[in-house]
Amino acid sequence: MSDIENIDDIPADHPKSAPEDRATNGPLDESEANPVRPYVDLGGVKVLPREGLHLRLEVEEGSKRVVAVGLDYANSTLQVQPFAAPRSSGLWHEIRGQIAEQIARQGGSTQVREGTFGPELLAQIPVTTAEGQAGQMRLARFIGVDGPRWFLRGVIAGEAAADPTAAAKVEDLFRSIVVVRGNTPMPPRDLIPLRMPASSPGGQPA
C-alpha cells in the first residue's frame, strides 16, 4: 500500500521547498506574473524569450503528448516540467529522494546540496555511447520549486551543471518561467498539460 496513492493527503512534515523570494523573483505563478510581458504560451508554462534561447518541445512517441519543455541556453540545457501539487504541502522533498533512488538503480550517484532554489541533486548519470559502450557519466542538476498548487521541476545539463557563470544564467532563466496551473481539478503529481505555442517565436525549430 503506497502512500503515493494518497499523496493529496501528504502530512505537514512535507513542507514546500522554494526560495523565500519566489513570489517576486520566480518561478512565478500566473497570478504573480506581469500580464503585458511577451511570454511564449506553452500551456502549463510560459517562457520569456531572450537572446540566444532556443526552445524545444519533448513529445511522447505513442500519444504525441508534449511531456516537457527543453530550453537550450548558455551552452546548457534546461528541461522543465510543471506538475499539479497539493495546496498546503510540497512535493520536492519526496520526489528528490525518488530521483536519487532511480539514478542509483541505473548505476549512477547523487549528492544533495543547497542551491539557489533550495535543496538540489547533483547527479552522475550513466550514459551509453552511440557505439553501445557504457561506463561514461553525464553530470546533471535536478532542481525543484513548490509553488501554489503546482511543482516545477528542472534538469540542468551542459556547462551550467558545473560552471558558475553558465549556472547563474540558466538559474535566471528558470526563475523567469511562469506556471499556469489553471482551475481544472488534477491529482497531485499529474503533469499540467503542455502544448505547442500558437505561433513559433523566432529561432524556434518547427
Side-chain angles (χ1 to χ4, degrees):
M1 194 170 68
S2 169
D3 58 359
I4 293 174
E5 295 168 359
N6 301 312
I7 199 154
D8 49 338
D9 300 323
I10 294 178
D13 60 351
H14 284 278
K16 289 182 181 291
S17 176
E20 290 185 6
D21 61 352
R22 184 209 60 74
T24 51
N25 290 332
L28 298 174
D29 185 72
E30 184 183 25
S31 64
E32 300 158 343
N34 184 337
V36 301
R37 299 191 82 179
Y39 289 105
V40 179
D41 186 353
L42 302 168
V45 295
K46 293 180 179 180
V47 178
L48 197 61
R50 60 181 68 196
E51 186 74 30
L53 173 64
H54 292 273
L55 172 66
R56 291 175 293 103
L57 298 180
E58 301 182 18
V59 179
E60 199 171 55
E61 191 69 37
S63 66
K64 303 300 181 189
R65 181 176 69 132
V66 179
V67 293
V69 176
L71 302 168
D72 298 331
Y73 185 62
N75 294 318
S76 310
T77 60
L78 169 64
Q79 182 206 62
V80 295
Q81 291 177 296
F83 298 93
R87 186 181 301 276
S88 58
S89 55
L91 295 180
W92 181 224
H93 293 301
E94 186 170 4
I95 287 176
R96 197 170 63 246
Q98 293 172 348
I99 293 171
E101 289 175 10
Q102 183 180 5
I103 291 172
R105 284 197 299 269
Q106 296 171 354
S109 63
T110 57
Q111 67 179 84
V112 180
R113 66 178 188 180
E114 196 66 21
T116 302
F117 304 99
E120 65 175 57
L121 277 182
L122 185 65
Q124 292 278 358
I125 304 172
V127 293
T128 304
T129 65
E131 293 77 29
Q133 293 179 322
Q136 293 188 331
M137 292 285 180
R138 177 172 67 94
L139 189 65
R141 293 169 55 198
F142 289 80
I143 57 178
V145 169
D146 290 303
R149 297 175 62 239
W150 52 258
F151 164 68
L152 184 66
R153 192 186 85 162
V155 185
I156 298 172
E159 288 187 10
D163 177 69
T165 302
K169 293 179 180 178
V170 173
E171 288 164 4
D172 183 66
L173 174 62
F174 188 71
R175 277 192 180 272
S176 75
I177 292 170
V178 174
V179 179
V180 183
R181 167 62 179 84
N183 296 317
T184 305
M186 294 177 65
R189 292 179 178 246
D190 267 18
L191 183 70
I192 299 172
L194 298 165
R195 64 166 185 262
M196 305 282 274
S199 59
S200 296
Q204 181 187 332

